[in-house]
Amino acid sequence: MAVRESGRVKDAMQKRILDEDARKRRQKKALEALEQDNFHEDPHADLVMHKKAPKFQDDLKNATRNKRKTRTADYFKQRFRKNFAQLVEEDLNYNSTVPNYTTAQAPPSAFPDRHFCAVCGFPSPYTCIPCGARYCSVKCLGSHLDTRCMKWTA
């Protein structure tokens, strides 16, 4: 009688297994790639429309022409919105003696680390052998192997 074995188990044996340092380097590269994609200031925020450009809301303006235009607080919040770095700097300059974002510290947790699935976010008891990512089920393992495992590019 022939012994059946899973194709995934065979494939897992052929993949290289990374040590903890290599996993941390890969994770750092992945985080740096995500940081590159993070929010940046809008490069087109200061563009001024040409006078001859078509105005598609002329009808709306003609209907409200007699009313005095007032600007609400929401307008100024959007117009002069600050990015995260500006908010942190403002917090530092406002009162540097009280704990703020850069000086806040908490002791290490008394509880063990919680592990979550890298695919769906549910609690995960399993770890991918080659890359060390966590997964919770066979379905998430399949998705991880197809799209995420060892797929980081720099």
Side-chain angles (χ1 to χ4, degrees):
M1 182 175 199
V3 178
R4 294 181 63 194
E5 59 183 60
S6 170
R8 285 202 176 112
V9 172
K10 244 188 318 189
D11 290 343
M13 298 303 172
Q14 293 174 352
K15 290 184 179 179
R16 68 182 168 141
I17 299 171
L18 300 177
D19 61 342
E20 195 60 33
D21 291 334
R23 287 179 182 170
K24 285 183 181 178
R25 282 194 304 271
R26 282 184 174 274
Q27 187 178 27
K28 186 177 176 183
K29 271 188 189 177
L31 287 175
E32 287 173 357
L34 288 173
E35 282 293 328
Q36 297 260 332
D37 293 342
N38 260 348
F39 172 78
H40 297 289
E41 292 295 323
D42 183 13
H44 305 294
D46 297 331
L47 288 181
V48 179
M49 293 297 289
H50 192 271
K51 290 179 182 178
K52 293 184 179 180
K55 295 178 181 130
F56 297 107
Q57 295 183 350
D58 282 340
D59 297 335
L60 182 64
K61 285 182 182 178
N62 289 336
T64 59
R65 187 171 293 222
N66 295 336
K67 292 182 182 179
R68 185 172 176 234
K69 196 172 197 176
T70 59
R71 294 191 170 136
T72 62
D74 290 335
Y75 168 79
F76 290 105
K77 284 180 186 174
Q78 289 295 338
R79 178 79 169 96
F80 303 107
R81 187 174 57 191
K82 297 175 183 172
N83 62 20
F84 182 70
Q86 290 171 330
L87 290 172
V88 169
E89 184 180 345
E90 183 179 288
D91 191 34
L92 275 173
N93 295 336
Y94 178 67
N95 192 354
S96 59
T97 59
V98 296
N100 54 35
Y101 182 81
T102 55
T103 62
Q105 295 179 353
S109 176
F111 299 103
D113 291 344
R114 296 171 62 189
H115 302 288
F116 297 101
C117 178
V119 178
C120 68
F122 286 136
S124 64
Y126 311 112
T127 305
C128 176
I129 294 170
C131 71
R134 307 292 295 206
Y135 63 92
C136 65
S137 64
V138 175
K139 185 177 180 183
C140 286
L141 173 64
S143 176
H144 170 74
L145 291 175
D146 291 341
T147 60
R148 295 171 173 84
C149 186
M150 309 292 276
K151 299 282 195 291
W152 299 113
T153 58

